[in-house]
Amino acid sequence: MFFDIDGTLVSFKTHKIPQSAVDALTEAKAHGMKIYISTGRPLPFINNLGQIKHLIDGYITTTGALCIVGKERFNCHEIDKASVKEIIETATRWHKSAVVVGTEHIAVVNDSEALTEQFRRGLNLDFDFSPLADVLKEPILQVSPFFDDQQEREVMCGLPTCVSSRWHPAFTDITNIAADKGKALLVMAAHDHLRIDETMAFGDGGNDIPIIRQAGVGVAMGNARPEVKAAADYVTTSVDDDGVRNALLHFRVISL
């Protein structure tokens, strides 16, 4: 089973995993299920899974640009330097914030109240960013600029080697075109010898659509965007209304 974090496992209201989901995943793990995370967050930003960390078998991070199992990292897709430069220069010109994710460190362009509101408070991230010059020496896996829909479309027209995945109205995640959660599911399945028809993926945001479509069963949360629900095989209740537990009960992964 593959789970998005924000709005799927973790409530935007409480910044925690509902106890019903913790109990359901604990039971599923006891039944032999493998549990994976599938998130737009880079690994240093995954700070809210302590309740289930001992249950997790692997991670799809940065919207599919990097997979991690134990200490092994694979399926690494970096953005070409010209595209990174274009995104950063555009953000600077438009006075917009952007989060730049390297393979080891993370930087911010134009730190702002919007970034504080959405990242530090909205996602509960108390994080010390590295200098941009240092991060740009690393392969860049993802850039998350605070562009609106129209600005996103304008920028992406000039980035043919990249793809943009929006799961939040305030910003979007830009990655290498070879990276999305659905493609990463295929890589993870091959790596861990999983059958695709026996996989299940849960999500609520636009960046979850590829993995929801790719998995054997795709589940949208009740709080998901309409296009996510349309892509899913099943729509459960919201993250704050026991959505994970209710879906696992529906598919008889766990019992009452």
Side-chain angles (χ1 to χ4, degrees), residues 31 41 53 99 104 112 119 121 127 156 167 194 251:
H31 293 332
R41 293 188 183 222
K53 189 173 182 180
V99 176
E104 301 296 332
S112 66
F119 270 70
R121 289 197 287 265
F127 189 80
M156 293 310 297
W167 60 273
L194 311 174
F251 288 104

Side-chain angles (χ1 to χ4, degrees), residues 193-252:
H193 309 291
L194 311 174
R195 284 174 43 186
I196 296 298
D197 64 340
E198 292 183 337
T199 61
M200 182 181 294
F202 292 69
D204 71 299
N207 65 355
D208 296 311
I209 292 175
I211 195 170
I212 283 174
R213 288 177 171 163
Q214 185 65 69
V217 175
V219 179
M221 306 301 291
N223 50 281
R225 296 161 65 109
E227 60 269 29
V228 182
K229 293 179 180 179
D233 299 299
Y234 179 74
V235 179
T236 186
T237 52
S238 74
V239 61
D240 293 300
D241 192 25
D242 305 322
V244 169
R245 184 197 66 183
N246 290 338
L248 297 187
L249 285 170
H250 173 81
F251 288 104
R252 299 183 181 181

Side-chain angles (χ1 to χ4, degrees), residues 5-18 122 239-240:
I5 296 178
D6 301 290
T8 299
L9 275 180
V10 175
S11 167
F12 283 115
K13 297 177 182 178
T14 67
H15 302 299
K16 294 182 180 180
I17 304 173
V239 61
D240 293 300

Side-chain angles (χ1 to χ4, degrees), residues 99-172:
V99 176
V100 182
V101 180
T103 51
E104 301 296 332
H105 302 92
I106 303 171
V108 63
V109 176
N110 294 332
D111 204 347
S112 66
E113 177 57 30
L115 190 142
T116 292
E117 177 65 27
Q118 303 302 336
F119 270 70
R120 296 186 177 95
R121 289 197 287 265
L123 299 180
N124 201 31
L125 286 170
D126 182 15
F127 189 80
D128 292 326
F129 291 100
S130 299
L132 178 62
D134 292 345
V135 175
L136 290 177
K137 296 175 183 177
E138 305 172 4
I140 302 302
L141 302 180
Q142 182 169 274
V143 184
S144 301
F146 279 64
F147 296 159
D148 61 28
D149 290 340
Q150 182 176 345
Q151 291 167 334
E152 175 191 354
R153 288 192 294 271
E154 181 178 340
V155 169
M156 293 310 297
C157 286
L159 301 175
T161 64
C162 297
V163 64
S164 181
S165 301
R166 182 178 292 272
W167 60 273
H168 195 286
F171 58 87
T172 188

